[in-house]
Amino acid sequence: MSVARTWRTRRQRYSLVGERCEYCHNAIFPPRDVCPHCAEPAQKEYTMSGRGTVYSYTTVFDPPAGFEAYAPYPVALVKLDEGPMVTAQLTDLDPDDVRIGMPVEMVTRKLSEQGDEGVITYSYKFRERLERQAVAA
Amino acid sequence: MRPVYIVGIGQTPVGEQWERSLRHIAHDAVIPALRDAGVEQVDALYVGNMLSGELVGQEHVGALVADFVGLRGVEAYKIEAACGSGGAAMRTGVMAVAGGLHDVVVVAGVEKMTDTIGKDTTAGLAMAADQEFEAAEGVSFVALNALLMRRYMYEFDVPHSAFGHFAVNAHHNATGNPNAMFPKAITLDTYRKATMISDPINLMDSSPICDGAAAVVLASEEVARTMHNGRRPIRIAASTVATDSLAVHDRRDPMQLEAAWISSRKAYQQAGVTLDDIDLFELHDAFTIMAALSLEACGYAERGRGVRLAEEGEITIEGRVPVATMGGLKARGHPVGATGVYQIVEATLQLQGLAGRNQVRDANIAMTQNIGGSGATVATHILVGE
């Protein structure tokens, strides 16, 4: 990912900053300025909790350029508690243990690096939700 | 709007064409199409292509192909809508002729995918997805389809092996298509034992990376009437395109291809037909899961029941809804930006009774559906033999 894009999307990748529509009140992630539910302007910031459940998952064995060093790695569609769905890698778990409906939470991890001189991109990944947080939720 | 007719077709064999470059492959489809129509000059050339810039380092493909096929001077450009580029180019050609701006145009689809190594092609294909929030996380295009397939299997309680019937049918039909990449029959056992790519998607769920080009010449009714190549006139009764969110995670319901639903319903209305009138359906089986979702979105099956049609043998040439009649994306091959035009060429052959031993009996009306990305662009066409 380019330096500018990494920088521009840092608040999304580091802390899941999205939006909440002021008209229909749906939470939106990633931010998109026009509400996908009611097509009204949606520019009010709203930060997701980072908690959600696995909607679907798979493992990437044949990675795109830039991710060769990490394969195989598990990826998922995570349905956030606030409503939006996020496409992300799963981490800190055995891919064989992943199940649809598994409670997960966001953590910050290295996503990719571009050689010795390129930018290192950090992003959200999701791990199985720790018990105490599951109870708190 | 003026009626639009297909007056010439051309296609290259699909495969790894090491000795031919992008421009040569386009030439190998456009020249036969022009000859087939018996025309030397046209008003415009629309080239469906997805990845020329990324995989060949070449943009500006409209002018390149126009010059290379002897049409220098003509209006020409590339039309891009990911894997739906061919269908979008077709729609552009239809609009130009139906709207009365042009009388004769060529629509070509061309893709050269084997000049790069696998991981670069994989990264290129992921450009069909949301680059900032899907591909950026290391999710390949195959993985996106795997996410859909896993959820489908879970939600509708469908075993993986049930999808094998789509692959078996496609490969069986490819054996009767001299232009198919894999003219080789497989069994359900072959399917079950295939190498895993991104679970649950294995090699036999997935269409191949390949090169190819297809082309059609479109003409207004007035011009078409002056052409006599002795074959049945084919009218384009419907041509529609609809869109959905680029990212799977932004869909209202990822298990429903909303753009396919919209595009097909508009097409039925335009053509004045119902599903029962359609004799064959060239669908977008880039992955077996896409074939199932496409059948459901078009109204052939209820939600979660698309796979059942394949299991019950309804999708074979003799079945109620013949699909992938010349091998489909799975076995004819899926040169991404060319696929939508291959579908039109194959549907034309069926309606003209030229599909050899793959001929669907009494084929009068055919539908094609070309899908860009994981469902963000869907182009549907309905052809009628007159």
Side-chain angles (χ1 to χ4, degrees):
Chain A
M1 197 156 42
S2 75
V3 176
R5 183 185 274 176
T6 297
W7 173 80
R8 196 165 55 235
T9 55
R10 65 196 182 286
R11 298 182 67 226
Q12 282 70 51
R13 295 194 196 286
Y14 300 167
S15 48
L16 290 173
V17 176
E19 295 159 336
R20 184 183 279 284
C21 176
E22 290 183 83
Y23 298 87
C24 73
H25 308 294
N26 276 295
I28 302 163
F29 186 87
R32 50 196 291 153
D33 299 347
V34 172
C35 176
H37 303 281
C38 69
E40 294 292 340
Q43 295 180 324
K44 190 175 170 60
E45 271 193 9
Y46 180 74
T47 302
M48 309 295 147
S49 66
R51 287 190 292 274
T53 53
V54 172
Y55 175 85
S56 191
Y57 63 96
T58 184
T59 303
V60 177
F61 291 101
D62 187 16
F67 291 90
E68 302 91 331
Y70 312 101
Y73 49 87
V75 299
L77 285 167
V78 173
K79 182 83 173 158
L80 297 175
D81 287 354
E82 292 80 3
M85 194 114 76
V86 183
T87 305
Q89 290 187 24
L90 298 174
T91 188
D92 304 0
L93 47 70
D94 181 339
D96 290 339
D97 294 338
V98 185
R99 294 287 175 269
I100 287 176
M102 174 192 270
V104 291
E105 63 189 357
M106 180 213 148
V107 290
T108 304
R109 292 286 185 274
K110 183 164 77 179
L111 182 67
S112 60
E113 53 186 313
Q114 294 161 0
D116 292 340
E117 295 175 7
V119 65
I120 298 174
T121 302
Y122 291 87
S123 187
Y124 43 74
K125 293 189 184 181
F126 286 80
R127 70 177 175 198
E128 187 170 13
R129 206 183 300 176
L130 298 180
E131 201 51 40
R132 60 186 168 80
Q133 283 163 318
V135 171
Chain B
M1 297 244 274
R2 307 194 298 174
V4 181
Y5 285 80
I6 294 171
V7 295
I9 55 175
Q11 61 177 319
T12 75
V14 178
E16 296 176 347
Q17 300 193 30
W18 303 111
E19 68 290 353
R20 306 293 280 168
S21 67
L22 179 83
R23 65 190 73 183
H24 289 103
I25 297 170
H27 162 277
D28 296 347
V30 172
I31 294 293
L34 291 171
R35 274 205 202 114
D36 189 35
V39 297
E40 287 183 353
Q41 274 304 318
V42 299
D43 300 321
L45 165 73
Y46 304 109
V47 184
N49 172 271
M50 174 184 176
L51 288 167
S52 67
E54 187 62 19
L55 301 186
V56 188
Q58 179 73 63
E59 288 296 5
H60 215 162
V61 170
L64 173 77
V65 174
D67 180 35
F68 207 68
V69 300
L71 294 173
R72 190 183 293 187
V74 81
E75 169 187 332
Y77 19 77
K78 159 174 165 171
I79 312 288
E80 192 277 317
C83 334
S85 299
M90 186 69 192
R91 168 69 176 151
T92 310
V94 170
M95 286 196 291
V97 177
L101 294 174
H102 292 312
D103 291 323
V104 186
V105 304
V106 185
V107 175
V110 60
E111 204 70 62
K112 178 73 185 167
M113 302 177 73
T114 59
D115 272 4
T116 40
I117 54 172
K119 61 176 185 163
D120 290 333
T121 310
T122 301
L125 288 168
M127 290 177 180
D130 183 327
Q131 199 55 223
E132 281 196 353
F133 293 100
E134 285 184 313
E137 304 304 313
V139 181
S140 64
F141 192 60
V142 180
L144 283 173
N145 282 274
L147 291 169
L148 290 174
M149 190 171 183
R150 165 101 63 203
R151 181 71 193 189
Y152 185 99
M153 289 163 56
Y154 168 85
E155 210 163 296
F156 307 117
D157 197 20
V158 177
H160 178 259
S161 58
F163 288 86
H165 297 275
F166 284 113
V168 170
N169 175 65
H171 275 266
H172 172 78
N173 293 346
T175 60
N177 178 3
N179 292 303
M181 183 173 186
F182 297 130
K184 190 170 180 290
I186 63 161
T187 63
L188 282 176
D189 200 44
T190 322
Y191 175 79
R192 278 192 289 266
K193 290 178 180 162
T195 309
M196 192 57 72
I197 312 175
S198 191
D199 56 308
I201 287 185
N202 71 27
L203 202 58
M204 287 298 152
D205 285 305
S206 174
S207 55
I209 286 167
C210 50
D211 307 325
V216 298
V217 180
L218 305 180
S220 64
E221 187 172 21
E222 200 182 332
V223 173
R225 221 181 278 136
T226 67
M227 296 174 164
H228 304 287
N229 61 8
R231 296 211 308 267
R232 187 184 193 187
I234 304 299
R235 180 171 57 85
I236 297 165
S239 172
T240 68
V241 174
T243 55
D244 197 351
S245 71
L246 204 62
V248 170
H249 59 231
D250 285 329
R251 302 273 159 83
R252 283 188 190 91
D253 174 6
M255 293 296 100
Q256 157 106 19
L257 292 178
E258 208 165 293
W261 194 95
I262 298 169
S263 164
S264 60
R265 295 316 182 280
K266 280 161 95 177
Y268 303 151
Q269 196 178 15
Q270 262 183 33
V273 300
T274 65
L275 280 187
D276 290 339
D277 300 324
I278 296 168
D279 299 308
L280 63 117
F281 179 25
E282 290 304 333
L283 51 61
H284 193 92
D285 55 330
F287 298 95
T288 52
I289 177 65
M290 273 293 139
L293 292 175
S294 176
L295 283 169
E296 291 167 21
C298 291
Y300 283 106
E302 283 173 34
R303 209 177 125 85
R305 304 295 287 266
V307 178
R308 198 66 71 85
L309 285 177
E311 280 183 296
E312 291 168 354
E314 302 273 35
I315 62 165
T316 64
I317 301 240
E318 298 79 25
R320 189 167 58 86
V321 194
V323 308
T325 68
M326 302 302 277
L329 283 62
K330 171 69 195 80
R332 172 239 295 130
H334 181 28
V336 284
T339 289
V341 186
Y342 271 101
Q343 294 175 321
I344 300 286
V345 167
E346 291 164 353
T348 302
L349 289 172
Q350 284 285 3
L351 297 178
Q352 292 181 331
L354 299 172
R357 65 183 173 83
N358 288 6
Q359 186 63 48
V360 173
R361 215 184 328 152
D362 301 325
N364 293 309
I365 301 180
M367 178 160 74
T368 70
Q369 186 168 77
N370 188 201
I371 301 182
S374 53
T377 299
V378 179
T380 306
H381 286 86
I382 295 176
L383 312 185
V384 176
E386 293 195 329

